[in-house]
Amino acid sequence: MAVAVEALGGSAASTMLTPAIRAAYDSGVARLSGSAAVATLARGLACSGPNQAQAALFGTTADAFLADPALQDEVFGAASLLIRCPDAAAMRTVAERLEGQLTVTVQMEPADGDAVAALLPTLERKAGRILANGWPTGVEVCHAMVHGGPFPATSDSRTTSVGTLAIRRFLRPVCYQDIPAALLPEALRDGNPLDLWRRIDGVPGQE
């Protein structure tokens, strides 16, 4: 924690996209800093331009976090709440109470394998993507990428905003039943005039 406090204390203020986003960030930071159960551990360098936000690191205990659901409210921006857990059981209890997230990250050593294995079933229910020893966002446009998650992280946990499956967010399926071939879209006609990869009777191919 001391390393994080030192690093954040020297971090420059970041510029946010709009005044409304910056105002929401300031409101969230003020809410955390005003809570009797939360300690301010570090603040970044002061703002020097429009729409800038001063980074913040806060700390609380597992008991305080569990007792106050408002501590879960997202603060979009460079603010974090560190929750001190006395043991792995308390960490799992805190994880069970989390709302839906886009990502969760496990910072771990090889010796932490058993503890992480016990935590993973909970994390799988809480987030769309689980990282090990990394930092989000870190997305890659590929078949396996998921940048979505359970509510309230997204309104539909079946979709992703990054990756090849993201196209499904913009598609609506239509079934053509007993439609004459001449009236079908070219992509569905016999002979595959567009030479597409298609699935015929459940079998993928180009026929």
Side-chain angles (χ1 to χ4, degrees):
M1 184 175 70
V3 174
V5 168
E6 181 180 358
L8 190 138
S11 64
S14 56
T15 302
M16 306 194 82
L17 188 61
T18 68
I21 295 174
R22 195 276 327 282
Y25 173 81
D26 288 344
S27 176
V29 167
R31 173 175 46 80
L32 287 173
S33 62
S35 171
V38 175
T40 299
L41 302 179
R43 296 300 306 268
L45 299 178
C47 303
S48 59
N51 293 340
Q52 286 196 337
Q54 185 183 22
L57 178 63
F58 301 99
T60 191
T61 64
D63 288 342
F65 180 82
L66 296 172
D68 186 359
L71 295 182
Q72 285 201 36
D73 292 346
E74 180 183 26
V75 179
F76 181 79
S80 293
L81 177 63
L82 177 69
I83 304 168
R84 296 185 299 275
C85 299
D87 50 39
M91 187 183 302
R92 289 195 297 272
T93 301
V94 167
E96 289 284 355
R97 294 283 288 275
L98 292 176
E99 294 183 326
Q101 309 289 323
L102 293 176
T103 69
V104 296
T105 301
V106 179
Q107 302 295 340
M108 58 180 291
E109 300 288 346
D112 299 325
D114 290 343
V116 174
L119 192 60
L120 278 176
T122 297
L123 303 184
E124 290 165 357
R125 297 194 304 272
K126 297 295 181 177
R129 183 155 50 102
I130 303 170
L131 296 80
N133 295 335
W135 300 99
T137 299
V139 292
E140 177 184 353
V141 179
C142 63
H143 293 289
M145 180 52 60
V146 173
H147 191 61
F151 183 85
T154 60
S155 57
D156 187 345
S157 62
R158 298 169 298 177
T159 63
T160 174
S161 60
V162 179
T164 55
L165 292 179
I167 189 63
R168 294 185 178 179
R169 302 168 61 205
F170 306 98
L171 299 178
R172 181 179 64 83
V174 176
C175 175
Y176 294 89
Q177 183 170 335
D178 297 329
I179 303 298
L183 299 179
L184 288 173
E186 283 190 282
L188 301 180
R189 293 178 185 175
D190 291 342
N192 193 9
L194 299 182
D195 196 30
L196 302 173
W197 278 93
R198 308 191 302 182
R199 188 180 295 272
I200 307 297
D201 294 330
V203 180
Q206 288 183 282
E207 297 181 359

